[in-house]
Amino acid sequence: MPDDDRPGRTLSADVFSALTFWPDYSSTPAPRVPVAVLVPFFNDLLDELPWWNPAWRVTRISAVEPSGAMVGGSGFDEVTVLGEVGDADPQPFVGRVRLQDDRLVRFQAKIGDVVIEPGSTPAGEPEQDPFAALVRVLMDVRGLRIRDVARGAFLSEATIRCLRGGWSPDPVVARRVAEALDVTPEELLAAAGHDAEPDGPR
């Protein structure tokens, strides 16, 4: 998880305490802050992503664990947060944050098998549609080639290459690709920040 080049934001005292309270790793007791304060913290971070679907909300945080190296006496530089997204059919949520003192310098979220990060395109250049990144990740996880997905989706290989390269799909194409990747179209579209059309054409 590379560091963000932008100056880190200063965390509120409650959020910082919730992220840095590790009773199993510290000999100095500290007041425990409920990890529930991290629910709105992560939702605010995700809401800043221009393609994030605001209907998907972090609903529960279950654990906070250090995942990086100890930095002097200031604690760990990277923390893993475990929780859930959604109410009716919750998906596992993993948030990773990199800290520098009381500042957040990078964050990454993982929902199910899909990794979500802030944009990395230089200023002034449009971001690729996040659907492309999700398709690439799912193809890699499942060991699928472009030919495999094209056949499973009844689309041309050129279309799949365009999707992987950043092309924004229409709902019919998105639905076919989702089914070829063995995920529901609603999950794939929501994770990519598109409006799902559960009753759309197949």
Side-chain angles (χ1 to χ4, degrees):
M1 183 171 62
D3 286 340
D4 200 325
D5 292 332
R6 296 168 294 182
R9 74 177 68 191
T10 301
L11 302 172
S12 71
D14 283 351
V15 167
F16 181 72
S17 295
L19 289 171
T20 56
F21 178 75
W22 311 297
D24 295 339
Y25 300 88
S26 175
S27 59
T28 305
R32 176 115 193 201
V33 174
V35 294
V37 302
L38 299 177
V39 170
F41 168 70
F42 275 105
N43 282 327
D44 287 347
L45 287 177
L46 292 167
D47 282 343
E48 292 177 8
L49 303 180
W51 45 268
W52 178 251
N53 186 339
W56 273 40
R57 311 306 291 164
V58 177
T59 54
R60 187 173 77 91
I61 298 295
S62 57
V64 178
E65 302 170 354
S67 56
M70 182 73 83
V71 181
S74 63
F76 293 86
D77 70 338
E78 193 170 287
V79 182
T80 297
V81 179
L82 307 177
E84 292 179 349
V85 169
D87 286 318
D89 183 21
Q91 301 291 317
F93 169 82
V94 179
R96 292 177 65 192
V97 296
R98 181 161 289 170
L99 305 171
Q100 185 174 7
D101 299 321
D102 63 346
R103 292 183 300 119
L104 171 72
V105 294
R106 187 72 173 162
F107 89 94
Q108 178 188 77
K110 185 176 180 184
I111 297 172
D113 294 331
V114 178
V115 176
I116 300 167
E117 295 186 87
S120 56
T121 302
E125 295 182 16
E127 292 284 347
Q128 288 187 343
D129 192 297
F131 190 90
L134 300 181
V135 167
R136 288 195 299 269
V137 167
L138 289 170
M139 287 178 66
D140 290 345
V141 166
R142 287 160 171 73
L144 296 172
R145 299 168 300 174
I146 289 175
R147 177 181 299 176
D148 301 327
V149 177
R151 286 180 177 169
F154 301 99
L155 296 167
S156 70
E157 292 184 29
T159 297
I160 304 303
R161 286 193 192 92
C162 288
L163 285 173
R164 286 176 57 93
W167 176 57
S168 182
D170 65 51
V172 173
V173 169
R175 178 173 291 281
R176 289 182 180 179
V177 170
E179 291 173 352
L181 294 173
D182 195 27
V183 296
T184 69
E186 292 75 26
E187 288 173 340
L188 185 59
L189 288 167
H194 293 275
D195 291 331
E197 295 189 6
D199 298 320
R202 289 182 168 272

